[in-house]
Amino acid sequence: MSAQQPRPRGTSGAGAVNELIEKLGVQMDPELLVLSLTHRSFAHEAGGIPTNERLEFLGDSVLGFVVTESLYRTHPDLPEGELAKMRAATVSQRALAAVARDLGLGAHILLGKGETRTGGADKDSILSDTVEAIIGAVYLSAGDGAARELVHRLVDSTLDRAADLGAGLDWKTSLQELSGELGLGAPVYRWEADGPPHARVFTSVVLVGERVLGTGKGTAKKHAEQQAAEKAYARLAEERA
C-alpha cells in the first residue's frame, strides 16, 4: 500500500483490508479496495485525495447489468414491468445498505470527522454507495467474472425475496396502478424536510382522489414517499375488498 493511500479503520491497516477481502470472498488489489472505501468527506479532509465516486459509478452499472441479466434468464415468463420492479427492489439504496450491514462494512469506510460524528457509517446512502464502489473495484481489479460472482453472492438472496414481494417491490408504482384501476387518478405526493443538511428527516403525505391516505418518514424523500404509498395502498386495497 502506498504511503499516500489512506488506511481503513480496524486493528491495523493491512489487517483490516485483508479481513474485508476475506469477507468479500475475492482476490483483488488492496489499494483499489481502500479507494472504494474512501468517502468524499475523508478525501476532502485529507487534502483532496481521490474518492470512491468514480468506482461507485462503474459499480452501479456492473450491478445493474448483472441483476438485469439474472432476472431475464431466471424469469422468462415475466413482463418487462415486473422485471423492472424486481430489479429496482434489488439494487435500491435500502437493499444495498442491508448488504453492507451484513458485511460490517460501516466499520471500514473512511469518513471525515463530521460524517463520523453524525453516524455516517450507518447511513443508507453511504453504505449503498460503498457497496457499488467495491463492485467497481472488483471489476477493475479481478475482471468481469469475479465481479459477477461477487454481485451474485451479495444480492441473490434479495433477488429471491423480490420474486415474492408483489406490490411491495415498488409501493409508489403499485399505488398508481391501483388508484388508476379504481378511477381515482394519479397519486399526488407532498413533502417537507426538517433538521440540518447532514441529518435531514423527510415527511411525506400522499393524496389519492384529494384524500390523504398515507404518511411516511425517512432519511431520504423517496423512502418517505414509499412508506406513505405503502400505507395508502393498504387502505385502498381494504376499501376495495
Side-chain angles (χ1 to χ4, degrees):
M1 191 176 296
S2 67
Q4 294 79 21
Q5 190 74 305
R7 294 176 181 272
R9 296 187 299 278
T11 55
S12 68
V17 169
N18 292 333
E19 175 190 344
L20 186 52
I21 288 176
E22 186 175 343
K23 284 184 179 180
L24 293 170
V26 296
Q27 293 299 317
M28 62 179 298
D29 181 348
E31 291 198 6
L32 266 180
L33 177 58
V34 174
L35 178 59
S36 73
L37 299 169
T38 305
H39 187 258
R40 63 178 177 270
S41 62
F42 183 95
H44 175 73
E45 291 183 9
I49 63 174
T51 76
N52 64 0
E53 292 176 354
R54 283 171 54 84
L55 286 175
E56 175 199 337
F57 171 76
L58 174 61
D60 175 67
S61 295
V62 174
L63 172 67
F65 178 79
V66 174
V67 168
T68 300
E69 182 186 38
S70 178
L71 288 169
Y72 181 87
R73 294 182 183 279
T74 306
H75 303 282
D77 299 325
L78 287 183
E80 180 268 345
E82 292 302 308
L83 294 176
K85 287 183 185 180
M86 292 172 70
R87 178 178 61 193
T90 302
V91 304
S92 71
Q93 185 180 99
R94 183 177 300 179
L96 294 181
V99 168
R101 291 189 180 99
D102 286 343
L103 290 169
L105 194 57
H108 297 278
I109 301 174
L110 291 160
L111 298 169
K113 294 177 182 177
E115 278 292 354
T116 300
R117 282 195 303 270
T118 59
D122 196 47
K123 288 181 181 177
D124 282 2
S125 57
I126 291 177
L127 290 171
S128 61
D129 289 349
T130 305
V131 170
E132 291 176 340
I134 289 174
I135 293 170
V138 171
Y139 179 86
L140 289 180
S141 180
D144 175 73
R148 283 174 176 270
E149 289 179 12
L150 177 63
V151 169
H152 283 295
R153 192 154 53 246
L154 295 180
V155 307
D156 271 1
S157 61
T158 309
L159 274 172
D160 292 340
R161 290 195 299 272
D164 301 319
L165 281 175
L169 284 169
D170 182 348
W171 289 113
K172 288 184 67 176
T173 300
S174 297
L175 175 62
Q176 182 165 331
E177 292 172 349
L178 179 56
S179 63
E181 290 174 14
L182 298 174
L184 299 174
V188 176
Y189 294 86
R190 295 175 182 168
W191 59 272
E192 60 182 25
D194 295 311
H198 62 270
R200 280 189 152 188
V201 175
F202 292 84
T203 301
S204 176
V205 298
V206 58
L207 293 85
V208 180
E210 299 185 352
R211 291 190 298 158
V212 175
L213 293 187
T215 63
K217 286 189 175 183
T219 55
K221 184 177 75 169
K222 61 184 177 181
H223 293 165
E225 290 180 345
Q226 284 286 342
Q227 189 179 103
E230 178 181 2
K231 293 177 180 178
Y233 182 93
R235 187 167 172 182
L236 279 185
E238 182 179 353
E239 291 178 358
R240 182 176 63 174

